[in-house]
Amino acid sequence: MGEFAATDAQRVEFEFDNATKSTCIGTSADGRIYYAGEASNKWCIGEVPHGGYVLALITGAVLDYFSTKHQRDPVALNCFYLRKTEVGPFVVEIEHMKMSAKGYCLVRARLLQAKDAVRPTDVGQFDSRQYIEKVHAIFTMGNMAEEAGVTHLHEPYQAPNPSKMVPFQSAFMGEFLDCMVDPSTLHDFPNGMGKPVFDQLLQFSDGRDIDFKSIPYWCDMFVSPPLLLGQDFLGVIWCPTMQLEVQFKRKPRGKKVLTSIVAPHIINGRFDCSGGVWDVDGNLLALTRHQCLIVPWSRNSKQPSRFKSNL
């Protein structure tokens, strides 16, 4: 995979980049910057675009906007999923909150969609009255190469052990990924429940490198921990994300990531889960925290056949 990516004479357009690309269509009179793209039907959980994939759509636009600025590295993002994103055209609106020549910058980025809208190619074609906000995100941008100061680690999160992992085919988007998981937390009926912990080793199957745009996807690309308790316990469920935070710790390099996620509190159909993303050398790339719901699968799709489980 990696060898193909490195030696192919033609420019390779990787699946993730093809599915997350957007184009700047201009700046409005009040200074807001707009990008337009298409959400793919191939990067979905059931009928709904995957939350981490959706966040990568927004992140890609923000990174492109900052690519010529001093603050080209994401430091943190906080996002709120207000409504389900639909497959099809979208617009990302970027608005300055705090800008700086050399210090940290904050921007608001909103993913917007309109029913039956045609993808705009110019900001003059964008009519905000037709659009509904689906995701609301705030990005902190900086320059990691120039960060300096005290470093002290106290009982830091540890990367999972890849030697315990076995090959695993993800039920959704599995054709785009090579995955290995620690099977010790998976449920094993009738012998007992699993644990709401999921550790894995991931890479894109077409050899694409990991980067900042893909980190939010990796942060959200896991089997939802409640599912690990077993379908006999919870039934056929969907676990949509309400809010998600990512704190970026270093520039990612290479082709593989180790990820770990745990849900310590499942209370009244709502749960928190947190974890991290590491490179294969155990260097922490990002921390993440989510708040999610447990709802019937019918909230995702009216077709039970769309539910897939390989646990």
Side-chain angles (χ1 to χ4, degrees):
M1 292 174 297
E3 183 178 346
F4 167 80
T7 60
D8 189 83
Q10 298 178 338
R11 181 182 182 276
V12 176
E13 184 160 35
F14 296 108
E15 293 282 0
F16 186 72
D17 293 317
N18 187 54
T20 56
K21 62 185 177 183
S22 60
T23 304
C24 183
I25 59 172
T27 303
S28 63
D30 61 1
R32 301 183 187 196
I33 304 92
Y34 291 89
Y35 284 76
E38 298 264 347
S40 171
N41 63 357
K42 296 180 180 180
W43 296 74
C44 291
I45 302 294
E47 296 180 358
V48 180
H50 175 263
Y53 163 71
V54 169
L55 192 48
L57 300 178
I58 304 173
T59 303
V62 172
L63 290 174
D64 183 78
Y65 175 64
F66 276 91
S67 62
T68 58
K69 302 184 188 305
H70 178 75
Q71 302 87 346
R72 62 186 61 189
D73 304 324
V75 174
L77 71 84
N78 294 268
C79 85
F80 299 85
Y81 294 87
L82 307 180
R83 301 168 184 87
K84 288 190 290 189
T85 299
E86 306 288 341
V87 170
F90 69 87
V91 169
V92 172
E93 176 192 83
I94 301 172
E95 181 183 5
H96 296 169
M97 296 179 66
K98 172 186 174 291
M99 299 301 286
S100 172
K102 296 293 185 179
Y104 295 108
C105 294
L106 275 79
V107 295
R108 180 185 294 110
R110 304 194 304 151
L111 188 139
L112 311 171
Q113 289 187 307
K115 187 176 181 181
D116 301 324
V118 176
R119 174 179 171 178
T121 57
D122 183 84
V123 70
Q125 301 170 351
F126 172 75
D127 183 355
S128 62
R129 296 170 297 180
Q130 298 180 0
Y131 283 77
I132 297 174
E133 183 178 13
K134 300 296 185 72
V135 183
H136 189 103
I138 296 176
F139 285 77
T140 304
M141 301 294 295
N143 188 311
M144 289 189 177
E146 296 197 1
E147 287 184 321
V150 174
T151 297
H152 175 73
L153 305 179
H154 175 71
E155 299 180 357
Y157 284 17
Q158 298 297 315
N161 184 353
S163 69
K164 297 180 179 180
M165 297 180 183
V166 299
F168 180 81
Q169 179 69 30
S170 179
F172 298 101
M173 300 167 286
E175 66 270 32
F176 304 123
L177 306 172
D178 290 337
C179 179
M180 299 183 71
V181 305
D182 181 347
S184 65
T185 63
L186 305 185
H187 67 261
D188 184 24
F189 285 104
N191 299 320
M193 263 186 203
K195 299 177 182 178
V197 180
F198 198 67
D199 294 342
Q200 58 186 333
L201 175 69
L202 290 163
Q203 63 179 317
F204 290 114
S205 57
D206 59 8
R208 184 192 187 278
D209 286 346
I210 58 174
D211 60 1
F212 280 132
K213 183 171 72 169
S214 67
I215 289 295
Y217 177 71
W218 300 128
C219 284
D220 197 43
M221 185 55 207
F222 50 79
V223 174
S224 291
L227 284 168
L228 303 176
L229 301 177
Q231 190 171 324
D232 291 357
F233 177 65
L234 290 173
V236 180
I237 60 170
W238 177 41
C239 298
T241 303
M242 299 172 67
Q243 60 191 86
L244 188 157
E245 175 185 5
V246 179
Q247 294 187 26
F248 301 85
K249 298 300 183 181
R250 82 172 58 214
K251 290 187 177 183
R253 293 181 176 84
K255 298 187 181 299
K256 300 179 181 180
V257 291
L258 290 159
T259 73
S260 179
I261 200 80
V262 58
H265 312 105
I266 302 173
I267 302 172
N268 295 328
R270 178 166 51 86
F271 67 95
D272 59 280
C273 54
S274 58
V277 178
W278 296 261
D279 64 21
V280 292
D281 295 321
N283 297 307
L284 181 66
L285 302 178
L287 294 175
T288 186
R289 188 170 181 85
H290 308 232
Q291 179 169 222
C292 308
L293 291 175
I294 301 174
V295 299
W297 178 254
S298 60
R299 294 273 294 274
N300 177 294
S301 173
K302 301 302 181 184
Q303 303 178 45
S305 61
R306 293 271 182 160
F307 177 82
K308 296 185 284 185
S309 176
N310 53 358
L311 297 178

